[in-house]
Amino acid sequence: MAAGAAGASKTYSFKVVLLGEGCVGKTSLVLRYCENKFNDKHLTTLQASFLTKKLNIGGKRVNLAIWDTAGQERFHALGPIYYRDSNGAILVYDITDEDSFQKVKNWVKELRKMLGNEISLCIVGNKIDLDKDRHVSVQETEAYAESVGAKHYHTSAKQNKGIEELFLDLCKRMIESAQADERAKGNGSSQSATARRGVQIIDDEPQAQSSGGCCTSG
Amino acid sequence: MSLKSERRGIHVDQSDLLCKKGCGFYGNLAWQGFCSKCWREEYQKGRQKQIQEDRELAERLQREEEEAYASSQGAQGTQPSLTFSKFEEKKTNEKTRKVTTVKKFFSSSSRTVPKKENQEAKAPSPSINRQVSIETDRVSKEFIEFLKSYQKAGHDVFKQCKICLEAMQQKREASIEEQSEYVQDFYQNTAEKLQLRWKMPSEKVEDVMDQIEKFIMTRSYKHVFCPETTDDEKKDLAVQRRIRALHWVTFQMLCVPVNEDIPEVSDMVVKAITDIIEMDSKRVPRDKLACITRCSKHIFNAIKITKNEPASADDFLPTLIYIVLKANPPRLQSNIQYITRFCNPSRLMTGEDGYYFTNLCCAMAFIEKLDAQSLNLSQEEFDRYMSGQASPKKQNAENWPPDACLGVKQMYKNLDLLSQLNERQERIVHEARKLEKDLIDWTDGVTKEVQDIVEKYPLDIKPKSQPLAAIDSENVENDKLPPPLQPQVYAG
């Protein structure tokens, strides 16, 4: 439903949730992406929990809404309320913190269980500028990401590494899955919708009008 | 497309598909059954007639609106008719340039009975708006005013809305889910139509959808907000009681990153609380959302002033929970349900308002399930606070902010004194009991000691006569003694 109505110049609207333990740098990541700022004391941004970004990917317009989620353990149970209807999820862990990667695994399990394969997952190892303190092995994480059908990225919000690629890639994947969705539905979606409401005269009639309108203009 | 023509086939005869003039080409319903060429000719002739018909229709609509105002409002009833007539005038002018007429929204296949159908469709409508209030009137007026700028599309939208309201009225007995679904379908249909048929840019569609939502929900609010058919009201009360029982939760427990000692921050907190309480007074889902958004912005400000960095969700959610606990917003559950059911879904799912609304839902879910663990308390402490036996505030009395109300300070001081007194009294009672026990123990001890001694040294009272008799009788040496002196009689 987030893909919006059909049309040549359509704009995709995607909802992306940011998941991950506190202190893994979710906020820095998204602030770096949307504002290109890091730990800036003079930030004019009021908040970093809901940010939007407009993109143009190969002529397709994309409106990205990035939803930050509270990462504290006590709010874990609220996850489903946040990620309902989202098109993508970015699961962030800190490469110096083994536990944060365990949390990511939990999230992945939960997301796949609740939303199936409709959601595009990105697993992100943040803080690669602290590589000397790395506690999570690259091979392990990448193998894991592959096993659950997610993409793995390494980023550093501090050095602005890998973030642009991460979001661009995610958008492309979300567009693909939105298009696949449309193809699967075909014209069926609009017709089933009208058929459902066909009982009422009013909704039926304008439909006939619109087809006429097309002919006159074309 | 194929499905559509099949459906059409139900009420259109095969021969009707050909041009009505019999020129051999296929006709088109949009051209009222003529082929494009014949239609153009026919259209020139029919135009004048249509203008006339439009004017009649417009007048009828106008009368209807006037009636609605007159019956509900009396004195103010004249104003809207004036504005509406302007609207209609503009619209009829517009009609002369464009082919489609309003009538056709009611019937596509026949132009012979449009008037009858019009009346059928409109007949029940005057009854909808009967219980209108001043606010409803104002909203209707604004809505009509707003639609003016959209001319033909505006008129269509207005009609659809009226029909939707009628249907809502008929559905009043139905379950709230059914009504919600109907309205959601209506939103979706209308938005699609605005985009595809009227070729409106998406920003404008959103604008129109907002107005539609406002118009429809202002009128239906009374019947669909916290309806009797659901247990919303019961849940509201439960939530309210729950929040009241949690009055003792402090911002330290929730790890709220807000320092209320800073006057600006406490100002923001108060504003946020006011906003969230105000939500209940709004009728339109979007206005309710706006209250939540305003509340959230104040929270962000409070966090920003305290931490001097943009708030993340980690900061925001606990603060929102704290604000909800402090505010105890009236009918929270009903409001959330109402917004979920009747708000325009595109706004709720992806927009910024939607994000804050989701957070509010989270806050409520958290409050409902809140336990000792989620506040980092031991179960014992949590139970004690919940039952009102203790108040965690007491511990903070020492570092009470200096600018806090004197009365409150005094109160806490007194509370402290009282609890100290209570403690001392308890100690006294305890000591008294101990004393009592000691006394009893002492008595018992003495008795026992005495008995012990008595047992140890039994008091045998031997017959005293025996040894005395023995002296007399059993003296072995008695024999050795000289015989007792016998009294001798001396003659004297």
Side-chain angles (χ1 to χ4, degrees):
Chain A
M1 65 153 281
S9 62
K10 93 154 122 207
T11 310
Y12 291 95
S13 296
F14 292 129
K15 170 180 161 184
V16 174
V17 283
L18 267 180
L19 300 167
E21 214 181 26
C23 306
V24 295
K26 282 179 293 175
T27 317
S28 305
L29 199 74
V30 71
L31 269 179
R32 171 62 90 182
Y33 180 61
C34 295
E35 311 269 328
N36 198 16
K37 298 225 168 98
F38 181 79
N39 269 356
D40 194 333
K41 283 287 164 216
H42 308 288
L43 264 179
T44 46
T45 335
L46 180 58
Q47 46 96 3
S49 55
F50 177 86
L51 291 169
T52 54
K53 179 110 176 167
K54 286 188 175 163
L55 295 155
N56 195 327
I57 301 172
K60 297 185 189 71
R61 275 178 295 166
V62 175
N63 283 345
L64 208 60
I66 305 168
W67 291 37
D68 191 9
T69 61
Q72 296 96 318
E73 183 57 43
R74 60 169 98 167
F75 300 128
H76 186 92
L78 306 173
I81 308 178
Y82 277 118
Y83 56 66
R84 184 173 53 194
D85 290 315
S86 50
N87 307 82
I90 298 176
L91 303 124
V92 191
Y93 69 91
D94 177 350
I95 60 159
T96 66
D97 181 0
E98 172 74 40
D99 279 352
S100 68
F101 183 63
Q102 285 304 323
K103 281 291 273 294
V104 164
K105 284 184 174 174
N106 293 344
W107 279 116
V108 169
K109 252 183 245 158
E110 206 178 308
L111 284 167
R112 284 287 183 231
K113 202 173 99 194
M114 309 291 281
L115 301 175
N117 288 322
E118 282 165 36
I119 186 163
S120 307
L121 299 185
C122 292
I123 298 177
V124 177
N126 194 28
K127 306 194 187 177
I128 49 165
D129 45 289
L130 301 174
D131 201 54
K132 58 179 180 1
D133 298 322
R134 176 186 274 282
H135 279 100
V136 186
S137 100
V138 184
Q139 288 86 359
E140 190 201 339
T141 51
E142 284 181 349
Y144 174 74
E146 210 184 322
S147 72
V148 294
K151 283 271 176 77
H152 187 273
Y153 303 87
H154 276 118
T155 59
S156 163
K158 192 175 176 185
Q159 299 170 342
N160 195 8
K161 274 189 191 154
I163 295 172
E164 208 57 52
E165 293 86 334
L166 154 72
F167 280 95
L168 193 68
D169 229 41
L170 176 62
C171 285
K172 281 183 188 158
R173 280 163 62 205
M174 289 192 296
I175 291 174
E176 268 169 34
S177 80
Q179 282 171 339
D181 222 33
E182 275 162 41
R183 273 198 300 276
K185 278 187 202 158
N187 276 342
S189 64
S190 63
Q191 280 187 1
S192 68
T194 38
R196 187 155 54 103
R197 294 177 220 105
V199 217
Q200 295 139 12
I201 300 171
I202 353 109
D203 286 322
D204 190 2
E205 303 308 332
Q207 205 64 46
Q209 286 288 313
S210 78
S211 66
C214 275
C215 290
T216 28
S217 65
Chain B
M1 217 46 178
S2 63
L3 211 144
K4 226 176 268 167
S5 48
E6 262 172 46
R7 280 182 340 121
R8 179 104 3 91
I10 296 163
H11 45 97
V12 178
D13 199 29
Q14 186 61 32
S15 63
D16 281 353
L17 291 177
L18 293 174
C19 173
K20 282 193 178 174
K21 268 206 161 171
C23 62
F25 288 103
Y26 276 102
N28 191 316
L29 285 173
W31 304 319
Q32 309 200 343
F34 294 99
C35 72
S36 60
K37 196 157 177 271
C38 298
W39 165 246
R40 229 168 280 140
E41 289 164 16
E42 197 66 14
Y43 160 60
Q44 294 297 333
K45 278 189 251 162
R47 209 163 88 169
Q48 286 310 311
K49 199 175 141 224
Q50 275 178 8
I51 293 169
Q52 189 56 38
E53 280 173 359
D54 281 353
R55 197 156 281 152
E56 277 171 33
L57 183 76
E59 275 161 15
R60 204 180 310 123
L61 268 176
Q62 184 187 329
R63 269 200 305 278
E64 198 184 290
E65 270 304 304
E66 268 173 60
E67 269 171 41
Y69 289 125
S71 65
S72 64
Q73 229 186 338
Q76 286 177 33
T78 47
Q79 269 183 335
S81 66
L82 200 123
T83 56
F84 196 75
S85 70
K86 266 197 227 151
F87 172 44
E88 287 301 330
E89 225 167 50
K90 215 169 166 185
K91 198 188 310 299
T92 23
N93 291 342
E94 174 71 12
K95 293 282 160 45
T96 58
R97 277 184 283 115
K98 292 193 179 170
V99 187
T100 345
T101 66
V102 205
K103 285 196 302 286
K104 289 205 283 184
F105 307 142
F106 291 95
S107 93
S108 73
S109 54
S110 67
R111 61 195 287 231
T112 49
V113 286
K115 277 197 180 158
K116 201 176 130 212
E117 278 202 18
N118 263 347
Q119 274 149 12
E120 271 171 14
K122 269 142 52 73
S125 68
S127 61
I128 314 169
N129 318 321
R130 287 314 75 123
Q131 322 114 329
V132 283
S133 67
I134 294 166
E135 196 194 334
T136 325
D137 267 348
R138 190 177 50 76
V139 169
S140 309
K141 242 187 282 176
E142 281 170 9
F143 188 53
I144 292 166
E145 196 73 24
F146 170 80
L147 288 178
K148 269 186 191 179
S149 54
Y150 291 92
Q151 289 133 1
K152 213 164 59 173
H155 200 180
D156 179 41
V157 163
F158 186 69
K159 264 183 182 313
Q160 298 291 327
C161 289
K162 292 207 117 183
I163 288 158
C164 172
L165 282 173
E166 264 166 51
M168 285 292 284
Q169 200 186 25
Q170 278 159 16
K171 280 182 192 290
R172 207 154 279 169
E173 300 299 311
S175 74
I176 192 71
E177 282 75 24
E178 204 176 303
Q179 295 186 45
S180 155
E181 200 183 329
Y182 178 79
V183 173
Q184 295 290 347
D185 275 357
F186 174 75
Y187 287 153
Q188 200 192 334
N189 269 352
T190 316
E192 255 170 44
K193 203 163 48 167
L194 287 171
Q195 214 160 23
L196 298 178
R197 179 157 156 233
W198 303 108
K199 306 272 181 248
M200 251 183 222
S202 52
E203 309 87 63
K204 275 201 170 174
V205 171
E206 261 174 43
D207 229 22
V208 176
M209 289 313 295
D210 284 347
Q211 294 297 328
I212 291 175
E213 183 191 297
K214 188 173 171 191
F215 177 68
I216 292 199
M217 290 329 292
T218 313
R219 292 191 169 220
S220 320
Y221 176 79
K222 213 169 94 186
H223 305 284
V224 296
F225 183 85
C226 189
E228 283 160 21
T229 50
T230 65
D231 55 354
D232 282 358
E233 194 180 351
K234 219 197 288 173
K235 283 188 196 151
D236 278 340
L237 290 173
V239 171
Q240 198 164 26
R241 269 199 302 273
R242 174 79 178 157
I243 294 179
R244 251 183 229 153
L246 290 168
H247 67 94
W248 47 268
V249 175
T250 61
F251 53 94
Q252 286 96 337
M253 289 180 189
L254 284 166
C255 307
V256 174
V258 159
N259 184 359
E260 275 188 295
D261 294 353
I262 305 169
E264 285 156 294
V265 173
S266 67
D267 207 36
M268 287 295 162
V269 168
V270 170
K271 277 183 183 158
I273 290 175
T274 320
D275 284 329
I276 198 79
I277 289 174
E278 200 191 343
M279 175 178 70
D280 187 55
S281 67
K282 303 288 181 198
R283 285 212 219 174
V284 186
R286 194 173 140 248
D287 292 350
K288 286 183 187 286
L289 282 182
C291 287
I292 301 173
T293 305
R294 271 207 308 279
C295 167
S296 308
K297 297 267 151 123
H298 284 133
I299 291 174
F300 287 135
N301 269 319
I303 297 172
K304 176 126 194 197
I305 295 168
T306 313
K307 287 184 79 178
N308 200 22
E309 62 180 43
S312 70
D314 292 353
D315 303 326
F316 174 59
L317 184 61
T319 319
L320 183 66
I321 292 169
Y322 178 70
I323 296 288
V324 171
L325 281 176
K326 289 297 129 190
N328 200 351
R331 300 193 285 184
L332 183 60
Q333 158 82 13
S334 283
N335 277 298
I336 287 179
Q337 287 290 348
Y338 173 74
I339 294 171
T340 317
R341 286 171 187 148
F342 295 106
C343 190
N344 198 343
S346 65
R347 182 174 291 278
L348 212 52
M349 283 310 156
T350 47
E352 190 174 9
D353 292 342
Y355 178 73
Y356 302 136
F357 177 70
T358 305
N359 272 290
L360 184 65
C361 294
C362 285
M364 202 181 77
F366 182 80
I367 289 168
E368 275 175 346
K369 295 206 187 85
L370 187 142
D371 56 17
Q373 215 186 347
S374 40
L375 292 175
N376 292 331
L377 293 174
S378 71
Q379 189 61 43
E380 197 185 22
E381 268 177 304
F382 183 78
D383 290 343
R384 257 187 332 145
Y385 295 151
M386 276 308 259
S387 58
Q389 281 172 357
S391 160
K393 283 237 172 77
K394 218 172 66 187
Q395 289 137 25
N396 304 339
E398 296 300 305
N399 42 30
W400 205 250
D403 57 337
C405 170
L406 271 176
V408 175
K409 266 199 223 170
Q410 188 62 47
M411 197 176 77
Y412 277 102
K413 216 184 271 176
N414 290 346
L415 266 178
D416 242 10
L417 275 177
L418 277 175
S419 67
Q420 276 173 26
L421 205 63
N422 192 29
E423 245 169 64
R424 277 160 69 178
Q425 209 139 26
E426 264 171 27
R427 218 184 305 142
I428 288 171
V429 171
H430 184 74
E431 294 289 330
R433 290 240 170 82
K434 210 173 143 205
L435 184 66
E436 194 184 10
K437 196 170 165 277
D438 281 356
L439 277 174
I440 292 169
D441 281 356
W442 183 74
T443 330
D444 286 354
V446 170
T447 318
K448 198 165 172 272
E449 243 172 86
V450 170
Q451 269 173 355
D452 279 355
I453 293 169
V454 166
E455 264 165 42
K456 209 166 171 185
Y457 309 103
L459 193 66
D460 273 344
I461 300 170
K462 290 177 183 160
K464 277 182 188 156
S465 56
Q466 231 172 356
L468 280 178
I471 291 171
D472 287 342
S473 62
E474 285 172 27
N475 204 328
V476 195
E477 289 163 49
N478 260 4
D479 301 335
K480 289 175 191 163
L481 287 174
L485 290 174
Q486 298 291 326
Q488 288 174 5
V489 181
Y490 294 97

